């Protein structure tokens, strides 16, 4: 497969560490090591802390609620926000039946209750033809595992929305065959939403006014290439062809564009040239390509006046996701992800939109808003992994004879991916490692994240057991307690352990 060379390379990287641990154990056996960790932690002693302090006391939890659970500033126009967004919301599992997918209207309730405020439908004429309903599916009914009634989908969305919600965007992919289908679609939408629907007439003024004035409203985003009047009247956000950041002639706040994530570098940042968006390995992996604040300036200014939607590549048929970081750093308000698939991209999305009580919106960083700072502020992040201990209330367990380590990652679109591993240890009573990892420099804190992974070491590489991902400015300074979310079907339950670690930011500089 395409990633086989990388797998082989990762095995070569892991082999010396595995062999070293094995020899250190005096030949304890294949796959095991005696890297026991320290019986006490110098880091905790210097800080005057005990394991019980960190395990139990609420003040040592990793997240700063004062930075996360704040009220959202809703005085800015819609284009000044990042919006939690879902791709092909109606699909459960893969994108087609042959990749484990199936249509399911309850997915709309799942994502909305999770804070999503931009959902998607693919709308088709009903079969047999109907003047009272349309159908929702992907590609064709056989590949989707059936179809959904548009009325059912709209009713499910309405039932899931909380009272007094910030605006919901319904992104609609138009597969209607004729104007009659457009009229039916408009009829269903109007009957469901009534006065909550933001109509085309007056949309421009509403979109340039405060977000607060859109509270409780529903916005249809759709392409109306044949200018059907009934359909056009309900579309607040036109899905318009992207013409480049420097050529928005005739495009106002109602004109929005969609860009596939694998075309983002070539389209949104195309004036920069391929050499300026190389990845951290010198390879052409779009997920790893980096952008600098200066290079993103044109995209940021363009997106401060309108909403750009980024979506997964067409070949992501198993609902694979892309990292939303580059889209966000380019000012794209909507980075639509496959909520059907757990993993790092969804963890990053969840960490960003956990802010403001998961209302689905966050204000873009100040450098992405008028009058536009010449460069984003940066900082250096320093991580110390103290150790992994049993969580409060967890049943004590004997040491595990398998070898584990903590991988720390600082995720940012503007800096080379920082990744460093702690020394290996066995999970047990006192697996302290006190590892000061190399610093990550050039990080833009407002759209950066820290991810810790508890991994089981093997000859073939490593296996993810548990992880936690947090928005960088929301992490308290000093040694803190990080709770793992279990990611493994193995016998180790990562939720029964907590990571003790310190994340420090150098003084932010302009």
């Amino acid at each position: 497969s395409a990633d086989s060379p990388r797998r082989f390379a990762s095995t070569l990287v892991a082999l010396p560490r595995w062999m070293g641990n094995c020899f250190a154990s005096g030949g304890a056996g294949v796959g095991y090591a005696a890297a026991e960790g320290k019986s006490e932690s110098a880091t905790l002693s210097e800080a005057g802390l005990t394991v019980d302090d960190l395990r139990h006391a609420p003040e040592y939890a990793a997240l700063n609620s004062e930075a996360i659970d704040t009220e959202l500033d809703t005085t800015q126009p819609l284009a000044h926000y990042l919006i939690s967004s879902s791709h092909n919301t109606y699909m459960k599992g893969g994108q087609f039946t042959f990749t484990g997918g199936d249509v399911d209207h309850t997915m709309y309730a799942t994502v909305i209750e999770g804070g999503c405020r931009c959902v998607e439908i693919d709308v088709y004429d009903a079969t047999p033809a109907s003047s009272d309903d349309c159908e929702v599916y992907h590609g064709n009914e056989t590949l989707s595992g059936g179809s959904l009634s548009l009325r059912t989908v709209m009713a499910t969305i309405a039932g899931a929305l909380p009272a007094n919600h910030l605006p919901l965007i319904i992104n609609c992919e138009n597969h209607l065959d004729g104007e009659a289908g457009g009229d039916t679609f408009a009829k269903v939408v109007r009957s469901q939403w009534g006065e909550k629907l933001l109509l085309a007439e007056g949309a421009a003024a509403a979109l340039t006014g405060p977000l607060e004035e859109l509270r409780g409203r529903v916005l249809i985003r759709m392409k109306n290439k044949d200018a059907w009047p009934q359909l056009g009247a309900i579309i607040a956000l036109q899905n318009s062809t992207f013409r480049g950041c420097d050529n928005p002639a005739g495009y106002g706040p109602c004109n929005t564009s969609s860009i596939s994530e694998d075309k983002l570098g070539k389209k949104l940042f195309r004036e920069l040239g391929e050499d300026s968006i190389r990845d951290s390995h010198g390879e052409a992996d779009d997920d790893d390509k980096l952008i600098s604040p200066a290079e993103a300036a044109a995209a940021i200014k363009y997106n401060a006046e309108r909403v750009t939607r980024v979506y997964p590549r067409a070949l992501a048929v198993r609902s694979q996701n892309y990292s939303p970081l580059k889209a966000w750093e380019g000012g794209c308000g909507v980075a639509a992800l496959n909520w059907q698939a757990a993993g790092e991209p969804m963890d990053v999305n969840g960490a960003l939109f956990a802010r403001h009580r998961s209302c689905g919106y966050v204000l873009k960083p100040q450098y992405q808003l008028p009058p536009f700072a010449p460069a984003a502020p940066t900082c250096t992040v320093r991580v110390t992994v103290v150790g992994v201990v049993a969580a409060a209330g967890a049943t004590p367990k004997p040491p595990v004879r398998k070898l584990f380590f903590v991988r720390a990652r600082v995720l940012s679109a503007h800096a080379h991916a920082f990744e460093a591993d702690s020394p290996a240890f066995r999970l047990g009573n006192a697996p302290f490692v006190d590892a000061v990892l190399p610093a990550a420099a050039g990080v833009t804190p407002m759209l950066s994240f820290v991810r810790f992974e508890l991994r089981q070491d093997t000859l073939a590489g490593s296996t993810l057991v548990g992880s936690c991902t947090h928005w960088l400015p929301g992490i308290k300074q000093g040694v803190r307690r990080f709770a793992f979310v279990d990611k493994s079907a193995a016998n180790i339950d990562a939720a029964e352990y907590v990571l003790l670690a310190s994340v420090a930011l150098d003084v932010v500089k302009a």
Side-chain angles (χ1 to χ4, degrees), residues 125 174-185 226 228 231:
D125 295 294
N174 185 353
H175 298 282
L176 300 167
D177 288 333
E179 186 173 353
D183 292 349
T184 299
F185 177 81
D226 295 316
W228 301 331
L231 181 63

Side-chain angles (χ1 to χ4, degrees), residues 254-324:
C254 296
N255 296 105
T256 68
S257 301
S258 292
I259 302 175
S260 174
E261 51 95 1
D262 57 330
K263 300 293 191 297
L264 188 61
K266 295 177 181 178
K267 287 190 174 183
L268 196 64
F269 307 111
R270 63 182 177 179
E271 67 271 20
L272 310 179
E274 286 299 314
D275 290 342
S276 61
I277 44 178
R278 61 189 177 277
D279 74 7
S280 56
H281 306 288
E283 300 173 355
D285 186 334
D286 281 338
D287 281 351
D288 292 337
K289 286 179 180 177
L290 308 177
I291 58 175
S292 74
E295 290 168 338
I300 285 171
K301 290 180 180 179
Y302 173 86
N303 285 319
E305 297 182 4
R306 57 193 60 80
V307 176
T308 296
R309 177 179 179 267
V310 180
Y311 59 93
R313 66 187 71 192
L315 295 179
V317 295
R318 298 186 183 277
S319 296
Q320 306 97 306
N321 271 316
Y322 61 99
S323 169

Side-chain angles (χ1 to χ4, degrees), residues 76-356:
Q76 304 285 326
L78 180 72
H80 286 189
Y81 295 86
L82 303 177
I83 307 167
S84 184
S85 307
S86 164
H87 170 254
N88 285 358
T89 316
Y90 50 86
M91 292 301 297
K92 185 176 184 179
Q95 297 296 301
F96 299 101
T97 53
F98 64 84
T99 57
D102 192 14
V103 291
D104 185 350
H105 71 95
T106 66
M107 285 296 295
Y108 290 93
T110 298
V111 304
I112 289 172
E113 290 166 2
C116 180
R117 291 299 177 266
C118 179
V119 297
E120 184 174 25
I121 65 173
D122 283 22
V123 60
Y124 295 80
D125 295 294
T127 304
S130 169
S131 62
D132 194 53
D133 204 355
C134 299
E135 292 181 349
V136 176
Y137 53 86
H138 192 204
N140 66 57
E141 292 183 69
T142 301
L143 291 178
S144 297
S147 64
L148 301 173
S149 157
L150 177 64
R151 288 190 177 276
T152 298
V153 167
M154 291 295 177
T156 302
I157 294 172
L161 282 169
N164 207 32
H165 63 86
L166 289 171
L168 175 79
I169 299 173
I170 303 178
N171 182 70
C172 306
E173 195 168 300
N174 185 353
H175 298 282
L176 300 167
D177 288 333
E179 186 173 353
D183 292 349
T184 299
F185 177 81
K187 173 183 173 182
V188 173
V189 170
R190 284 181 181 270
S191 67
Q192 177 63 62
W193 300 111
E195 294 183 356
K196 291 185 176 182
L197 189 66
L198 180 64
L199 301 177
E201 183 180 3
L207 294 172
T208 54
L211 182 71
E212 182 63 33
E213 294 184 4
L214 290 172
R215 189 178 289 276
R217 306 300 294 273
V218 173
L219 286 61
I220 300 296
R221 180 183 184 272
M222 195 172 191
K223 184 173 288 187
N224 185 20
K225 61 181 180 180
D226 295 316
W228 301 331
Q230 294 298 319
L231 181 63
I234 66 165
I235 298 176
L237 295 167
Q238 292 282 347
N239 186 355
S240 307
T241 302
F242 181 71
R243 296 178 179 173
C245 297
D246 55 353
N247 185 31
Y251 276 15
C254 296
N255 296 105
T256 68
S257 301
S258 292
I259 302 175
S260 174
E261 51 95 1
D262 57 330
K263 300 293 191 297
L264 188 61
K266 295 177 181 178
K267 287 190 174 183
L268 196 64
F269 307 111
R270 63 182 177 179
E271 67 271 20
L272 310 179
E274 286 299 314
D275 290 342
S276 61
I277 44 178
R278 61 189 177 277
D279 74 7
S280 56
H281 306 288
E283 300 173 355
D285 186 334
D286 281 338
D287 281 351
D288 292 337
K289 286 179 180 177
L290 308 177
I291 58 175
S292 74
E295 290 168 338
I300 285 171
K301 290 180 180 179
Y302 173 86
N303 285 319
E305 297 182 4
R306 57 193 60 80
V307 176
T308 296
R309 177 179 179 267
V310 180
Y311 59 93
R313 66 187 71 192
L315 295 179
V317 295
R318 298 186 183 277
S319 296
Q320 306 97 306
N321 271 316
Y322 61 99
S323 169
L325 291 173
K326 186 166 62 176
W328 291 338
E329 282 289 11
C332 300
V334 171
L337 297 177
N338 290 312
W339 285 52
Q340 305 92 327
E344 182 181 305
M346 279 301 300
D347 292 344
V348 168
N349 191 80
L352 180 68
F353 291 104
R355 298 167 60 191
H356 314 304

